[in-house]
Amino acid sequence: MFYDMHTGKLVIFSAPSGAGKTSIVNGVLQRTPKLAFSVSACSRPMRPGEVNGKDYYFLSPKTFREKIDEGAFLEWEEVYPGSYYGTLRSEVERLWQAGKHVVFDVDVAGGLNIKSQFPEQALAVFVKPPSLEVLRQRLVNRNTETEESLRKRLGKAELELSYANRFDHIVVNDNLETAIREASEKVLQFIDPQ
Ligand code: 5GP
């Protein structure tokens, strides 16, 4: 059923955490009405200000594992030890049915996974921080990380940066406005080729 329905395109944004990917995704979404955001499921605790069903579908680890067993996910990853994140097939179907192209904010492994399942239908964009030091500073300023989780995220970021060249396009997030403009142009060319 998933593959028979009328389908739109898939626009994937991946980046090391703290690269500013979420701001770019939001900027691109605001400029392009035909796009809609795929709300992921995750098993980590909700942060202050987050809304269930808007930022994520917050599931208990048990429910998350049950959904894995049911085959409910298009892709899922244990992004950080003990924290599961995944794209529900039902979410993509919902947005395609609404006539939208679907935008994903997923980690690098998840992004490459979706791209490999939909090589022609998906555009995979890698958002790169100007440097690892800028990335570290952004994570510190965000103030959501403990010493321990900061170390984990930076370790993972280094590894993820080495996968950048497997993506269709790399956007360096030095200046946010410029990065949003560049990403929006690429996305528009992809969903409405001239
Ligand atoms: P955060 O905990 O900061 O919201 O997100 C951590 C990381 O999980 C980010 O890199 C984000 O892109 C990634 N992520 C969010 N949703 C998904 C998903 O559905 N699948 C995968 N593979 N990664 C996700």
Side-chain angles (χ1 to χ4, degrees):
M1 135 87 177
F2 189 60
Y3 297 95
D4 294 341
M5 65 191 297
H6 169 76
T7 55
K9 290 187 175 169
L10 306 164
V11 179
I12 303 155
F13 285 91
S14 295
S17 161
K21 173 184 48 170
T22 304
S23 310
I24 293 181
V25 169
N26 289 337
V28 171
L29 281 165
Q30 268 169 20
R31 285 169 182 229
T32 322
K34 275 193 236 169
L35 302 177
F37 183 67
S38 164
V39 177
S40 294
C42 80
S43 73
R44 73 152 166 74
M46 219 187 270
R47 292 182 190 139
E50 286 185 325
V51 177
N52 187 29
K54 181 170 167 283
D55 297 286
Y56 286 104
Y57 300 111
F58 291 95
L59 305 180
S60 68
K62 179 171 177 288
T63 307
F64 200 104
R65 279 192 295 272
E66 283 166 5
K67 290 206 176 289
I68 293 173
D69 293 342
E70 288 163 14
F73 289 108
L74 176 63
E75 63 76 36
W76 62 271
E77 297 287 333
E78 187 176 2
V79 174
Y80 302 105
S83 294
Y84 294 87
Y85 295 77
T87 304
L88 290 162
R89 293 179 193 279
S90 56
E91 178 70 359
V92 180
E93 286 172 7
R94 181 177 76 80
L95 299 175
W96 274 346
Q97 242 148 21
K100 301 286 188 179
H101 302 294
V102 182
V103 173
F104 301 87
D105 173 339
V106 294
D107 82 335
V108 169
L112 291 173
N113 183 345
I114 298 172
K115 175 72 185 175
S116 72
Q117 295 184 56
F118 299 91
E120 301 303 322
Q121 222 172 322
L123 175 74
V125 180
F126 189 93
V127 178
K128 208 173 171 176
S131 68
L132 271 177
E133 178 48 31
V134 170
L135 187 70
R136 196 186 70 80
Q137 204 50 56
R138 283 181 186 163
L139 286 173
V140 169
N141 293 348
R142 198 165 81 175
N143 226 357
T144 53
E145 308 308 317
T146 62
E147 203 48 43
E148 165 74 1
S149 75
L150 181 67
R151 214 167 31 78
K152 273 196 221 161
R153 282 177 190 254
L154 283 174
K156 189 167 146 62
E158 252 184 286
L159 178 69
E160 288 181 323
L161 283 170
S162 68
Y163 288 101
N165 58 9
R166 300 200 192 175
F167 282 71
D168 297 314
H169 188 67
I170 298 175
V171 173
V172 178
N173 186 13
D174 199 349
N175 173 280
L176 183 60
E177 276 312 306
T178 312
I180 291 173
R181 203 175 326 117
E182 187 187 329
S184 300
E185 277 166 17
K186 287 286 168 194
V187 171
L188 276 180
Q189 276 165 21
F190 179 71
I191 61 176
D192 270 330
Q194 304 299 325

